[in-house]
Amino acid sequence: MRALVSLPLILSAFVFPPSYAQALSPQQVTEIVAQSDKAMRGDSSYSEATMEIIRPEWTRSMSMKSWTKGTQLSMVFVTAPAKDKGTASLKREREMWNWVPSIERVIKIAPSMLSQSWMGSDFTNDDLINQSSIVVDYQHSYVREASFDNDEVWVIDAVAKPDAPVVWSKVTLWISKQTYLQRQVEFYDEFEEQVNLLQTFDIKQMGGRMLATKMEMMPVDKPGQKTVLTTHQAQFDFKIDDDFFSLSQMKSLRE
C-alpha cells in the first residue's frame, strides 16, 4: 500500500550532524528521501492490517493483506467484512486494476481515477496501491529541522517534476533522523492548497525492521474525519515472483 499507503539497521547511523543541516546538498536530500522510501517498503513486503474509516456519524472497519515488490508491483486483498471480502487491487508499473467479486469484474483504474478514494477511505488509490515514486517523480529540497512525536526529523519538500504522472503537485515529508520513517506527510494539490495530512505513530520492530504500525490520514477541510491504518503483522525482503502480481492471481486470492 501508497497511501497507504512506504530500513536496514545499518542505515540508522547515516545521520547528518544538526550543525551541518543547512549545508545539505540536493544529492544528500534526495538520498534521504530514497532511504526513507526504502524504509517504508523494503525490497519486498507482506503485511496484515486493519483499516478503520472514521466519520462524525459512523465508523466502519475492514481487514486486509498486502504484498509489494520494489516500487513497481503491489497487491491489496480485503479479507473482511463479508460484503467486501475478496475485493483486491493490483498495481504493475503505471497500471492499476480492481477486482470486484460481487460482480465478477476487473475494473481498470484510469490515471484520472488515482486521486479517488480507495474503498471509501481517506486514502486515495495512489496513496494505498499505486504508490507513485517519491524518489523518481519529484524534485527534493531541504526545508528545516523539526520534531514530531519526540522524534527529530528533516522536513523536505518534494515538488512534482513537469509532466510527472502523479496525483500530488507537492508533498512535504517529515523524515525521522533515527529510523528514516516518514512521521508526517502533507499532500498539496495543483493550486498549492493542502488537501490531506498523514501522521504515523507506534513505532515498533516488526519483521526485522522498525515500522510505523499506526497511520492516520486526515483531510484538512473535514474535521472529525480520518482513516486509521493499523499494521498487525509484517515481513520484509523475502523472495516473491513477479508472476504473483497478475490479474489471474488477483482474482484467485483466498483468505
Side-chain angles (χ1 to χ4, degrees):
M1 307 186 293
R2 191 180 209 206
L4 289 122
V5 281
S6 81
L7 177 70
L9 294 179
I10 59 172
L11 294 181
S12 63
F14 184 79
V15 178
F16 296 100
S19 60
Y20 189 64
Q22 295 298 333
L24 292 181
S25 69
Q27 182 179 358
Q28 288 172 323
V29 175
T30 296
E31 179 64 21
I32 291 171
V33 174
Q35 292 188 23
S36 174
D37 187 64
K38 187 173 179 61
M40 303 293 287
R41 73 177 86 239
D43 293 330
S44 62
S45 70
Y46 165 78
S47 64
E48 298 179 7
T50 300
M51 176 179 284
E52 187 176 20
I53 303 171
I54 300 170
R55 299 294 182 261
E57 300 83 13
W58 52 267
T59 299
R60 73 181 181 93
S61 64
M62 67 180 74
S63 300
M64 64 191 69
K65 299 178 180 180
S66 64
W67 299 260
T68 70
K69 184 176 183 180
T71 61
Q72 301 299 317
L73 301 170
S74 58
M75 182 108 70
V76 177
F77 173 67
V78 178
T79 58
K83 68 182 184 66
D84 297 316
K85 185 176 179 179
T87 301
S89 297
L90 167 68
K91 177 246 183 154
R92 290 186 64 92
E93 298 181 354
R94 296 288 186 181
E95 296 185 298
M96 179 178 170
W97 299 265
N98 283 343
W99 164 246
V100 185
S102 60
I103 58 175
E104 296 188 345
R105 182 181 175 188
V106 173
I107 301 174
K108 179 72 177 292
I109 303 300
S112 61
M113 297 174 63
L114 291 177
S115 62
Q116 294 185 3
S117 166
W118 186 84
M119 298 289 290
S121 73
D122 295 302
F123 288 89
T124 67
N125 286 314
D126 188 76
D127 296 328
L128 198 66
I129 182 72
N130 193 52
Q131 302 170 343
S132 297
S133 174
I134 195 69
V135 180
V136 175
D137 293 326
Y138 289 81
Q139 295 176 321
H140 315 108
S141 61
Y142 172 81
V143 178
R144 67 183 186 278
E145 294 179 350
S147 179
F148 177 88
D149 193 30
N150 297 318
D151 198 354
E152 294 302 310
V153 301
W154 291 292
V155 181
I156 295 172
D157 276 346
V159 178
K161 294 179 179 179
D163 302 321
V166 297
V167 169
W168 308 110
S169 64
K170 185 179 82 169
V171 180
T172 299
L173 305 166
W174 294 48
I175 298 174
S176 168
K177 293 183 179 183
Q178 182 176 3
T179 64
Y180 284 80
L181 296 174
Q182 296 169 16
R183 301 306 315 275
Q184 178 167 288
V185 185
E186 304 161 14
F187 300 89
Y188 295 83
D189 63 17
E190 66 272 23
F191 305 108
E192 299 187 2
E193 295 287 339
Q194 186 178 350
V195 178
N196 286 343
L197 175 66
L198 175 68
Q199 295 182 327
T200 67
F201 304 96
D202 297 346
I203 309 300
K204 300 176 183 177
Q205 188 169 37
M206 190 175 289
R209 62 169 62 204
M210 301 307 291
L211 181 69
T213 60
K214 182 179 179 182
M215 297 184 172
E216 297 186 0
M217 182 71 84
M218 297 162 284
V220 297
D221 62 345
K222 297 178 181 178
Q225 177 171 321
K226 65 180 178 179
T227 298
V228 180
L229 184 65
T230 304
T231 301
H232 308 290
Q233 179 180 336
Q235 301 172 19
F236 298 94
D237 303 324
F238 52 87
K239 184 177 180 181
I240 184 170
D241 293 334
D242 289 5
D243 291 345
F244 176 83
F245 301 90
S246 65
L247 292 174
S248 60
Q249 179 69 28
M250 178 177 65
K251 292 189 291 185
S252 62
L253 285 173
R254 296 291 184 271
E255 186 176 0

